[in-house]
Amino acid sequence: MVARSSEVRPSAVRRSASPGAGGRRGRGAGRVAGLGLGGAALLLLLTGCDVGAAFGGFGWPQGGITPEAHRMYDLWIASCIAALAVGVFVWGLIFWCVVRYRKRGNELPVQTRYNLPMEFLYTIAPILIVSVLFYYTAIVQTDVVRTTKNPDVTVEVVAFKWNWQFNYRDGQGPEANTVASVLGTSEVIPILVLPTDRSIRFEETSRDVIHSFWVPEMLFKRDVFPGNVRNVFQISKFESEGAYVGRCAELCGSYHAFMNFELRVVTPEKYDRFLAAKREGRSTQEALTAIGEDPFATTTQPFETRRTDANFNPDNASAGTGN
């Protein structure tokens, strides 16, 4: 007994074997090829313009100030474009099938058991897509986490509850010597001064709990661990001068939200003069003034540690009798 749904009628066989079948298959293949070429042309068009800026970076922060930040941003934008292209192609096929093979009466369509080209496509295509994305992700990741033996500047980042200390070192590792230091307090935001166009190595350590060193414009952050763990990363250079807020990105305690610092990127000449002033014993504010920079942070401000009616009971609300 043959099931009705798997039955192949002679009329259907005759129709598929008619002289025009080959032409229809050729036209179908041409439509598929045209769709593929159109998708490729659209992809090239999108990659040729600043798609990221037009769509807000697809959720990725913009305005990176290092080459590594630009590479990560470009990878994200290319991945989003590829995902959109695949999505448009799949949805186009779905709607085309809905229209092309919609029901036209009670007659069953021609029943087939398999379609080798289609099965090959939806098996191999995802593998190729994932392989390409993995390849470029591995390349960018390797580039971002790469370190060199002789960076131009080495900075030790020391985190503690709830502030930062930045030590300018004469070498690498815990055995190196500190030649100048910047220490933050509850009254003064610490300012990390670094030069443009020089490679910079960051060595991170914590005095108490896990913190996280994060400058949003670097599009990169690393946890700062206590103990013998020194988290290390390096950037090839800063591309633009300016003042950029830095934050702790790991919940570390009551005043985590106020654990800020400022990254001040200056010219190499100003940086050398700043470091020389620090070595002479000047304070960070005096050294910044000597190179023509604002002596205090401009991107953030210290939190008020004293409990007063203004900051402990907003709007002069009554504290109550208590217990």
Side-chain angles (χ1 to χ4, degrees):
M1 180 177 182
V2 179
R4 180 176 179 82
S5 60
S6 61
E7 192 176 66
V8 180
R9 289 175 300 281
S11 59
V13 174
R14 285 195 298 271
R15 282 195 300 271
S16 63
S18 62
R24 284 193 293 272
R25 283 195 296 270
R27 289 193 297 272
R31 284 194 293 268
V32 172
L35 184 60
L37 291 175
L42 177 62
L43 183 60
L44 289 175
L45 178 63
L46 289 175
T47 53
C49 60
D50 193 355
V51 180
F55 292 93
F58 294 108
W60 188 274
Q62 302 180 72
I65 57 176
T66 67
E68 291 79 7
H70 295 317
R71 294 187 186 100
M72 290 185 287
Y73 176 79
D74 292 341
L75 174 64
W76 174 257
I77 297 301
S79 300
C80 289
I81 292 175
L84 287 173
V86 172
V88 169
F89 179 71
V90 171
W91 277 102
L93 288 179
I94 291 175
F95 285 117
W96 180 75
C97 290
V98 168
V99 175
R100 175 65 177 82
Y101 298 106
R102 67 188 185 278
K103 186 176 180 180
R104 294 183 177 87
N106 295 323
E107 184 180 359
L108 288 174
V110 177
Q111 303 297 297
T112 56
R113 296 178 58 186
Y114 53 82
N115 187 318
L116 283 179
M118 185 62 68
E119 292 181 7
F120 180 82
L121 175 65
Y122 65 62
T123 301
I124 299 301
I127 295 176
L128 293 177
I129 293 173
V130 172
S131 299
V132 171
L133 291 176
F134 177 82
Y135 172 76
Y136 284 106
T137 300
I139 288 179
V140 173
Q141 176 179 296
T142 301
D143 181 73
V144 168
V145 301
R146 179 185 292 114
T147 58
T148 60
K149 294 182 179 180
N150 297 303
D152 298 322
V153 179
T154 299
V155 177
E156 182 184 47
V157 177
V158 183
F160 58 92
K161 292 181 178 180
W162 282 277
N163 224 305
W164 303 87
Q165 180 179 1
F166 303 115
N167 298 323
Y168 297 89
R169 312 278 276 181
D170 62 0
Q172 303 174 25
E175 297 80 14
N177 298 314
T178 297
V179 298
S181 183
V182 174
L183 177 63
T185 67
S186 298
E187 291 77 27
V188 179
I189 292 291
I191 300 178
L192 174 59
V193 179
L194 291 174
T196 58
D197 300 321
R198 290 184 183 177
S199 59
I200 301 169
R201 176 186 176 96
F202 297 88
E203 298 184 354
E204 303 173 343
T205 184
S206 171
R207 299 300 187 203
D208 35 54
V209 298
I210 298 177
H211 300 275
S212 185
F213 179 82
W214 179 41
V215 178
E217 283 78 10
M218 290 173 63
L219 304 186
F220 186 84
K221 58 186 175 183
R222 275 285 176 86
D223 283 349
V224 186
F225 296 104
N228 297 325
V229 179
R230 295 177 73 86
N231 229 349
V232 176
F233 73 96
Q234 183 174 319
I235 63 169
S236 56
K237 65 177 179 178
F238 284 113
E239 296 179 327
S240 58
E241 302 173 33
Y244 308 95
V245 66
R247 307 185 186 279
C248 175
E250 184 76 31
L251 182 58
C252 57
S254 301
Y255 292 105
H256 155 74
F258 305 102
M259 190 174 165
N260 298 336
F261 63 94
E262 181 171 285
L263 170 66
R264 192 76 61 83
V265 182
V266 298
T267 63
E269 294 76 18
K270 282 188 174 183
Y271 169 78
D272 292 336
R273 288 162 49 200
F274 169 82
L275 202 57
K278 290 289 293 179
R279 286 177 171 175
E280 293 172 359
R282 298 189 188 182
S283 67
T284 302
Q285 283 63 48
E286 292 172 341
L288 284 168
T289 303
I291 64 173
E293 291 286 326
D294 195 312
F296 295 98
T298 59
T299 59
T300 184
Q301 59 186 8
F303 64 91
E304 179 58 71
T305 57
R306 294 172 297 177
R307 293 181 176 180
T308 65
D309 289 339
N311 64 18
F312 194 66
N313 294 312
D315 302 326
N316 294 322
S318 175
T321 58
N323 292 322

